[in-house]
Structures are given as structure tokens and as C-alpha cells.
Amino acid sequence: MSQPSNEPSFRESVDMMFNRAVALMELPPGLEEKIRVCNATYTVRFGVRLRGQIKTFTGYRSVHSEHMEPVKGGIRFSLGVNQDEVEALAALMTYKCSLVEAPFGGSKGGLCIDPREYEEHELELITRRFAYELIKRDLINPAQNVPAPDMGTGEREMAWIADQYKRMNTTDINGVACVTGKPINAGGIQGRTEATGRGVQYALHAFFRDPEGLKKAGMVGALKGKRVIVQGLGNVGYHAAKFLSEEDGCKVTCVIEYNGSVTNDDGLDIEALKQHITETGGPDGFTGGTFHKDGTHLLEKECDILIPAALEGVINLSNANNIKASLIIEAANGPVTAGADEILRDKGVVIIPDMYANAGGVTVSYFEWVKNLSHIRFGRMQRRQEEARHQLVVDELERLSSDSGIGWQLSPNFKDKYLRGADELELVRSGLDDTMRNAYLSMADVWHSRGDVTDLRTAAYLVSIGKVAASYRAKGL
Ligand code: GLU
């Protein structure tokens, strides 16, 4: 969906939301601007010999804030990539990392390319060449700038980037930490692929534990049974929709893709739909629901929770008034424009903002980076020791029960669960859940306690900018 031309650009939209929040803060003169502006954007144009000719590509890496290093943020492969977009996304990374206490500044990268037009070996050549350009300028470096997947990239691209870095820095013992979102066999961590979608699920759990928040959204009851619309069944949308429908009992009544949509008021089978899309290229022909050629108007369909998990700017001045959802959770970065945000606020729609809602990805990236720097998998030292200690308790309970003649039996289900030490995936999920709960509480505290803060986005900015400002102050700025 194209954004109406009377709306500000994505970066201006982020700046407007930032300005709205800092107007409520007392920052030292000039610090506000220092935090808002993007420190640097590097543009590179490079040629790759493909199909008998040299093809030139344009890429960017923006560094928004270096109040903490390394700086962190994904690399996007999309034809829509431009400097404005990359800078907006880099700014959001600063605020996101600060809010969830991932110790990074914000950065983002992008390459103008439609990855679907290229064969795998061609994409490898292009990715390695782009990585080479960034690595030689320390724009990929475990101590300075650590990319990750974003739209159009995944663990395959991250493995190529890590390998490229290793080739150019053969003696860097921490080289594998130069990028996150790698496959397990190339230094990745369990649970990174699902992390952003999992984070969306944990964010909703946190919201549904907040009675005051629910009241503000005019919602009642539990997450179970809520009708959900998801836009975008890519990595984030797919995992969020899958976990919400399979584990939380939500009904995903509509999935909107760029090439068509499907609706089913009884709830869609997300796994089957994803499989159909992977096999055939789109939702057309899926038998588990009604197909619609164009989907964007379905953002306006009746539902409880709307999850935009695709592009920025999809909820804008042209459709904000027609949105029926009580709750919007921004799984994508920047899906609601500043203008739409105002309309939705006036309508009483609660928006769980991107910088919080999709922070699961960078949170687990942080865990992966720590794992890489410590050169050991999480749980490797403790797991069996933990199991042995739990076994002691179980043995003792069973001995007491039989010695005293009471004859209690521990249920096999309890024993199974209690005796199992946590593996890496469980630890990652626990760390992510803890992060999402704490960040929610910090936002909600501001949202519910300050009369001048009427929405979660402003609350998120206040918490996040407060932390960035504190770290500038600590540096003597
Ligand atoms: N691209 C993701 C984001 O927008 C992940 C960034 C990361 O893991 O560094 O948050």
C-alpha cells in the first residue's frame, strides 16, 4: 500500500513521535537534538559480475547513536531501501535497544535489491561483496557494529557475512560475534529465528496481565479466543500467528500478504497456510479459507487485535479512521505513520509500539552475541548439575514418603518436568520473556502514572530516551 503524499517520510514520522515525547522531558539544552539525529550514513555502490555483465548495487549502513558500542541492527534486502528508511530504522534500533536493555547503540543497513530475482549463488556473491565493503570500514565488527537479519535476509545471509569477516580477519578470536542471526552450525543460538514472533507473543501476554491497559483498550477477558488479523506471513508474522493460534487459543481470522489474502472467521490453520504459500508462492488456492485478490482493505476488517508484520506506513491517513481493532501491536517497524497514530489515539485504539513489540529479535541477538564472546553454549556447565540436585530432592521426597508409610507418589509428569535441566532454547525463551515483561512494566508504569502521557508509544519513548540521556550524561556530555 502506498502512503498518501501529504504524509511525512518514515524518518520524519519517527522524529515527530520522538519530539512529542521529549516535549514532556527535561533534557539538558541540546541533548535532545544530539539524541535525535543520525550520526552517520555510509552509502556504497559496488559492482558484481553476474550473467556476463557487471551489475551495480547501492547499499547503506546508518549509525544512529554510539552512546553504547557495538551498534546493532539488521540488514534489509528490498527494492524499497533508501537512506531515509535506513536512518529511520537505525533510530528505532537505538530506542529499542535502550528500552529492552540490550547494551547497544542503534544502526541499520539496507541493500536495494529484490532477492527473488537472483539465484542462491548470485545472492552469495552480492552479499559477500556488500559485507566486504562494510567490513573494511569497520561497519561490520564484533566490537563496533553487529548486523542481523531483517526483511529479505535470514540466517543464510548472516552465515555468509560471518564467513566473509573471518576470511578478512583470520586472527580475530571473537570474529563470529560480528553478526547475529546465524544458523546454529555457524555460531547461532537456539530460538533466534522465532525470536521476534515469540517476542510479539510475550508482549501480548504482558499486556493481558495489565488490567489498566486492557481497560484503556476497552478489552475484556483473556487472550484466548481473541480475533487476530496478521499482515505479512514472513518470519515475524508467521511465528507470531503460529504461537498465538496454536498456544494461546487466538483465532487468526485473516492473513494479508502482498499478493492476496485469506479470511476464515473460525480461525486459519497457520502452519497449513504457510506451507501452501511456500509451495505455491502465495495464498491463492488455499482451501482453508476464502481468498481475496487484494488485501489491504482487510486491515479495516472487524477484529480484536491487528498485527501489522510487514512494511512501514501501512496504517496511514488513508485508512486509520476505518481501523476497527481495539489493539494494534506493531510487529513490523513503523507500520503506523505519525498522522495515523494521532487519529488512532483519538479513537481510543491502544498501540503497542514497534520499539517494544518487535524487540524480541534484537534481545535474542544480544544473547547470541554474548554466547559468541563467551565461546560456550548457554546451559552447558549447569544443566546436568541442576538435574542432579533436583534428583536429590525427588529421591528424598520418595524416601520420606515410603519411610513414613504415607505412600505419596510424585506424578510422572511432575517428575519429568522438574528433573529436566534447562537447555539453551529454554534459557533463551526465559531470558526473552523476562526482558519483555520488564520492559512492559517500565512503559506501563509511565503510561498509568503520568497524567500527561496518554499512550504506550510516548511512554516507551520516555523510558528509552531517559536511558540514552543517562548514558550520555555518564560520559560527561
Ligand atoms: N532486524 C531486527 C530488528 O529490526 C533485528 C535486529 C538485531 O537483531 O540486531 O529489530
Side-chain angles (χ1 to χ4, degrees), residues 203-226:
L204 281 171
H205 290 177
F207 180 78
F208 274 82
R209 264 185 235 114
D210 172 15
E212 224 172 310
L214 282 170
K215 209 165 112 199
K216 287 180 181 171
M219 293 180 100
V220 283
L223 187 51
K224 190 167 181 219
K226 292 282 179 288

Side-chain angles (χ1 to χ4, degrees), residues 72-74 93 96 108 146 148-150 180 192 333 358 361-362 365:
K72 189 97 190 69
M93 284 310 302
K96 190 184 309 190
K108 200 80 174 199
V146 182
D150 199 77
T180 57
R192 175 61 185 85
N333 287 306
N358 70 37
V362 76
S365 276

Side-chain angles (χ1 to χ4, degrees), residues 253-255 260-265 268 283-293 298:
T253 53
C254 174
V255 166
S261 330
V262 219
T263 50
N264 183 341
D265 287 344
L268 291 157
D284 195 0
F286 180 64
T287 49
T290 311
F291 176 73
H292 309 258
K293 246 197 175 114
L298 291 169

